[in-house]
Amino acid sequence: MPRLLARPRSAGPLFIAPFMVLFLLLFLAPLGYAAYLSLFQEKLVGGTSFVGLENYLTAVKDPQLREGVVRVATFFVIQVPVMLLLALLFALALDSGLLRLSRVIRLGIFVPYAVPSVVATLMWGYLYGPDFGPFAQLSDKLSLPAPHFLTDSWMLGSLANIVTWEFVGYNMIILYAALRTIPQDLYEAAALDGAGAWRIAWSIKLPALRPALTLTLLFSVIGSFQLFNEPNLLMKIVPDVIDSAYTANLYAYTLAFTSQQINYAAAVSFLLGLLIVIISYAFLLTANRRRPA
Amino acid sequence: MPRNNVSSSAISRRLLLTAAGAASLGAALTACGGGGSDSGSSSSKPVSQADIDKAMKTPTELTFWTWVPEIAQEIALFEKKYPAIKVKAVNAGQGTPQYTKLRTALKAGSGAPDMVQIEFQAIPTFTITDSLLDLRPYGASALKSQFVDWTWSQVSGSDGEVWAVPQDTGPMGMLYRQDIFDKHGIEVPKTWDEFAEAARKLHKADPEVYLTNLAANQVAAWHGLLWQAGAKPYVTSGKSDIAISVDDAVSKKLGAFWGGLAQEGVIGVEPDFTDSWYAALNKGKYATWLVGAWGPAFLSGSAKDTAGKWRAAPMPQWDAAKPSAGNWGGSTTAVIRSTKNPIAAAEFAKFLNSDPESAKMFATKQFFFPATKALLADASFSGATPAFYGGQKVNQVFADVSAQVDPAFQWPPFLDQVATDWTETVGRSLARKTDTVTALGGWQTRITTFAKSQGFTVKAAP
């Protein structure tokens, strides 16, 4: 590494120029435009007027937005620990080298991630079906009451199940890759000291996994707070359980494309983005503090 | 919602509907590409025949957004008559997804098509933003007598503008299962009272079966029922005045009737056009489907297991002495105001839907329910005896109903919002078996608040 740093730096900007151009055009420009839009209000009758931060003030007080945010926060608290714990267990099991057919299993756990979330949701929506879904049919055959996967009280759990099914494999691959980078000599040293498999997992693997776990946690914060596809599709099946403001992201979409309040939608999206940045940053900060010096 | 287009296979349609819902944001954004067009000309002065002749001989390429399957055959007729003009058909989604893309393209100022397929109920949503071209200067008024009266009033503006040319329609009737009716000794209900009695009787005789399903997500069906009952829920005057009365006496009558049946648990209230709903129709969970005239062809494609068991009848009536009908679905061809070739685009809209050969093709190839008087009276259309309906002259039933549709029904200039609000108030009350009449008040409040926030002056119902 030191040799690379010692090279002349004049070529650097040239190499990152393509990235910077794309970054400006595809990320910063739309972001700036959205910020600009969020300062106006356009009405069907009466046209556009500058309103300053009024849209943001409305959004902060908007009960529908608040409910959506609380709902995705609840979702995050339920779903993410389950998903990451499963991913961790799978990764450790695969890494232990004790599993037969570990390649097949690895691929099997990863495959749901390759299924587009739209398709996955449609599939689970069918499986959850209260009339003709397989679970309902099975309980009917066994003369048991049909499970209510798509009711108010079950919906967050049902959504969590879909998202977990989709992303366990993805997180597992990240954790598994991190495990593979642990130097073998650490294991040998530990084994010489008399450590068993559990002790190695606890004292060597888990601490080494911390950066990867932080990364997966960050991705999960972003994913949870942007929850959109799954509720948007299930809304078609149970419109009385999932409304157009069920998650904050869905609400922003509804505002823009159903209510034609693009300016307000831009403000809501901005606030949501800000919230995600704050939460992500808070997680990073605590993760870094806990790291042994 | 749009349910007027009949594709040959139920599965492809199901995919289409779900995929359309999924396309969401990404799809809306992709609509931003494409050729630009910003110069709009819409003087109300008639265009001279010489100008028209010249335009129709000038090499031109037009873009047409439509979800009609295999529309190339109708377009070919137009291109044969006007060889200089090429029409590119683009499927930008069916109904709402297409409108969302169109709005985005219009807002972006580029990428909008020259012509667009648009449903009757969505026209005011686009005229409020000045997006459609008045077709009067291009001679569209002359077509009026060819079309069923109520379809023409649906495409006409308050100052007599012609915003679109009707393509197909959906006067509502009742499709019912003859075998289920026979098994339980149920007569075809002529009035809504008889309908309610039949619903109770049937569900009592077989708890697995319901007389019908009133979808808790289908505001279009509700509007069709309102229309039949004589309601005038939205009355606009000028550009910014609107009277909203979705909880007046007529609406409350409907709310009490349907909400009551839902609370008794003798009708189904599941969302339509879902896997579960298709399965329910195939397996005989519902003995009737109250639907627009596009329903018969659609059903024969998506409930194949039940072929031969269905029949059609007019809708039950509130007053049997004065039969009336509502409409659900059907669409038109409109010209986008920003087109650079208004003459050719307007000629296309006219030709596509009024040329006898082209109009007939819609009825025979795509199984659209016609909007022209000539086709409705055409024995080869109304006399068809499909085996799916046991050889009944189904088209004739709906052709008779079409004459009973009230031409005065109007749509709000923000239909998407109205639809979402309905699902979350009235639809929800049906699904949850809570008080539908109360929910109507919630719907009224939500629409009124929205209208005011959008700068409309909300007036008392006339």
Side-chain angles (χ1 to χ4, degrees):
Chain A
M1 283 301 167
R3 245 195 292 165
L4 271 179
L5 286 175
R7 283 194 178 170
R9 290 180 180 192
S10 56
L14 212 65
F15 279 114
I16 62 161
F19 166 79
M20 287 311 285
V21 169
L22 286 176
F23 182 65
L24 267 173
L25 278 180
L26 297 177
F27 291 93
L28 292 185
L31 213 60
Y33 184 56
Y36 170 78
L37 277 182
S38 70
L39 302 177
F40 292 86
Q41 185 183 39
E42 188 184 357
K43 293 179 173 180
L44 280 173
V45 177
T48 309
S49 55
F50 180 80
V51 294
L53 295 177
E54 199 185 299
N55 285 326
Y56 290 93
L57 288 176
T58 317
V60 172
K61 286 184 272 179
D62 190 334
Q64 282 188 292
L65 178 60
R66 206 175 307 149
E67 275 170 35
V69 168
V70 169
R71 196 169 281 126
V72 287
T74 317
F75 176 84
F76 172 79
V77 173
I78 302 173
Q79 187 259 336
V80 171
V82 173
M83 173 178 71
L84 292 188
L85 201 66
L86 281 175
L88 183 65
L89 287 177
F90 287 140
L92 286 173
L94 284 172
D95 188 60
S96 71
L98 300 173
L99 288 181
R100 286 161 175 265
L101 296 170
S102 70
R103 284 179 180 219
V104 178
I105 295 174
R106 196 169 67 202
L107 189 68
I109 300 172
F110 186 70
V111 154
Y113 179 66
V115 176
S117 68
V118 169
V119 176
T121 311
L122 291 176
M123 183 191 85
W124 278 101
Y126 165 72
L127 294 176
Y128 287 154
D131 268 339
F132 303 104
F135 293 122
Q137 299 271 19
L138 188 69
S139 36
D140 190 44
K141 288 244 161 63
L142 301 172
S143 307
L144 293 168
H148 301 288
F149 295 116
L150 298 171
T151 53
D152 283 325
S153 40
W154 285 66
M155 185 47 82
L156 267 190
S158 299
L159 281 169
N161 174 52
I162 299 176
V163 175
T164 304
W165 184 83
E166 286 172 316
F167 289 100
V168 157
Y170 172 78
N171 289 303
M172 175 201 73
I173 292 286
I174 295 178
L175 297 177
Y176 180 70
L179 283 173
R180 301 308 283 179
T181 62
I182 298 173
Q184 286 292 324
D185 47 359
L186 279 181
Y187 298 151
E188 281 166 26
L192 280 178
D193 287 345
W198 286 109
R199 180 67 200 221
I200 288 177
W202 183 255
S203 299
I204 298 178
K205 293 186 178 180
L206 275 185
L209 273 179
R210 186 170 282 154
L213 271 173
T214 311
L215 185 72
T216 53
L217 195 62
L218 269 191
F219 286 162
S220 305
V221 171
I222 299 170
S224 300
F225 280 83
Q226 291 193 342
L227 195 64
F228 177 80
N229 266 340
E230 293 80 5
N232 187 36
L233 286 169
L234 289 185
M235 183 161 67
K236 312 272 183 294
I237 315 178
V238 275
D240 64 309
V241 178
I242 299 181
D243 64 18
S244 60
Y246 194 76
T247 69
N249 214 5
L250 195 56
Y251 184 46
Y253 176 82
T254 308
L255 286 172
F257 295 110
T258 300
S259 308
Q260 302 186 55
Q261 295 171 336
I262 289 180
N263 311 96
Y264 186 43
V268 165
S269 310
F270 245 86
L271 279 182
L272 186 61
L274 192 69
L275 187 72
I276 292 174
V277 168
I278 292 172
I279 296 175
S280 307
Y281 191 72
F283 268 115
L284 272 184
L285 218 60
T286 42
N288 282 340
R289 268 215 200 115
R290 283 220 195 121
R291 188 172 294 170
Chain B
M1 289 298 281
R3 307 295 176 204
N4 53 354
N5 139 24
V6 178
S7 58
S8 47
S9 113
I11 292 169
S12 72
R13 181 189 174 88
R14 214 177 307 168
L15 279 175
L16 183 94
L17 288 167
T18 44
S24 71
L25 186 67
L29 293 177
T30 53
C32 296
S37 52
D38 39 336
S39 71
S41 65
S42 72
S43 62
S44 50
K45 222 176 73 189
V47 175
S48 73
Q49 190 58 42
D51 285 344
I52 294 178
D53 291 344
K54 182 164 162 261
M56 299 314 282
K57 288 198 180 95
T58 312
T60 309
E61 187 173 308
L62 298 172
T63 308
F64 178 29
W65 283 9
T66 174
W67 56 78
V68 175
E70 295 166 46
I71 195 159
Q73 46 196 357
E74 282 90 356
I75 290 176
L77 294 175
F78 177 77
E79 290 180 336
K80 202 172 128 202
K81 188 173 173 194
Y82 302 107
I85 299 178
K86 295 278 166 282
V87 177
K88 196 175 127 209
V90 176
N91 186 338
Q94 176 173 2
T96 308
Q98 191 225 53
Y99 304 144
T100 305
K101 280 183 217 174
L102 182 60
R103 261 204 295 271
T104 313
L106 289 168
K107 197 144 253 168
S110 75
D114 298 284
M115 296 84 65
V116 67
Q117 181 172 11
I118 184 168
E119 293 153 288
F120 292 104
Q121 72 269 25
I123 290 173
T125 300
F126 284 95
T127 55
I128 188 76
T129 51
D130 288 326
S131 305
L132 304 184
L133 187 71
D134 180 5
L135 300 177
R136 273 179 303 177
Y138 309 93
S141 308
L143 300 179
K144 183 179 178 182
S145 60
Q146 296 182 31
F147 289 92
V148 175
D149 297 344
W150 68 266
T151 68
W152 199 259
S153 70
Q154 287 269 297
V155 299
S156 300
S158 54
D159 293 326
E161 300 97 334
V162 178
W163 294 123
V165 185
Q167 182 166 80
D168 67 306
T169 67
M172 280 177 85
M174 179 172 69
L175 301 177
Y176 65 95
R177 286 279 298 267
Q178 182 74 62
D179 57 328
I180 298 179
F181 275 30
D182 286 349
K183 188 176 165 197
H184 297 288
I186 289 170
E187 296 279 311
V188 177
K190 297 269 192 304
T191 66
W192 287 113
D193 283 341
E194 290 175 21
F195 185 87
E197 277 316 306
R200 293 181 188 112
K201 184 176 170 188
L202 179 60
H203 187 64
K204 199 174 169 199
D206 185 347
E208 301 278 301
V209 180
Y210 299 87
L211 182 60
T212 198
N213 179 58
L214 184 67
N217 64 337
Q218 193 52 271
V219 71
W222 185 264
H223 277 132
L225 293 169
L226 274 179
W227 198 331
Q228 188 209 19
K232 300 279 181 292
Y234 321 100
V235 179
T236 50
S237 48
K239 267 238 107 149
S240 60
D241 289 355
I242 184 166
I244 300 162
S245 38
V246 296
D247 67 343
D248 62 357
V250 179
S251 291
K252 282 183 178 147
K253 179 172 74 174
L254 271 189
F257 181 81
W258 287 104
L261 289 179
Q263 283 182 332
E264 285 179 52
V266 294
I267 59 164
V269 285
E270 73 174 306
D272 52 6
F273 303 99
T274 62
D275 288 336
S276 173
W277 178 84
Y278 283 105
L281 280 182
N282 264 303
K283 294 183 180 173
K285 182 177 170 186
Y286 302 123
T288 74
W289 185 24
L290 305 173
V291 68
W294 45 268
F298 176 74
L299 188 68
S300 61
S302 42
K304 291 199 173 73
D305 297 355
T306 56
K309 296 174 178 166
W310 291 87
R311 298 291 181 275
M315 287 274 266
Q317 295 294 326
W318 291 106
D319 181 352
K322 278 188 286 179
S324 62
N327 180 72
W328 171 8
S331 64
T332 70
T333 310
V335 176
I336 298 296
R337 190 184 280 254
S338 61
T339 179
K340 284 182 175 147
N341 303 291
I343 297 178
E347 287 299 319
F348 175 79
K350 284 160 57 185
F351 177 93
L352 186 70
N353 303 308
S354 70
D355 174 76
E357 201 180 341
S358 177
K360 184 152 192 173
M361 216 176 242
F362 279 125
T364 54
K365 305 274 188 190
Q366 278 104 354
F367 300 107
F368 279 4
F369 197 79
T372 63
K373 291 175 183 165
L375 272 171
L376 285 180
D378 189 333
S380 73
F381 172 77
S382 54
T385 52
F388 190 86
Y389 297 92
Q392 188 192 5
K393 288 181 184 173
V394 176
N395 288 342
Q396 186 63 55
V397 174
F398 284 91
D400 294 341
V401 164
S402 184
Q404 299 167 358
V405 177
D406 178 2
F409 193 86
Q410 280 188 16
W411 297 100
F414 36 80
L415 187 74
D416 294 348
Q417 183 68 32
V418 163
T420 299
D421 285 339
W422 183 84
T423 306
E424 294 177 6
T425 53
V426 184
R428 175 175 293 226
S429 78
L430 292 167
R432 310 208 145 188
K433 311 199 189 320
T434 54
D435 187 9
T436 301
V437 177
T438 311
L440 286 170
W443 190 28
Q444 169 84 13
T445 310
R446 283 177 70 154
I447 309 175
T448 308
T449 308
F450 178 80
K452 283 181 181 160
S453 79
Q454 289 293 326
F456 287 92
T457 309
V458 180
K459 304 219 153 169

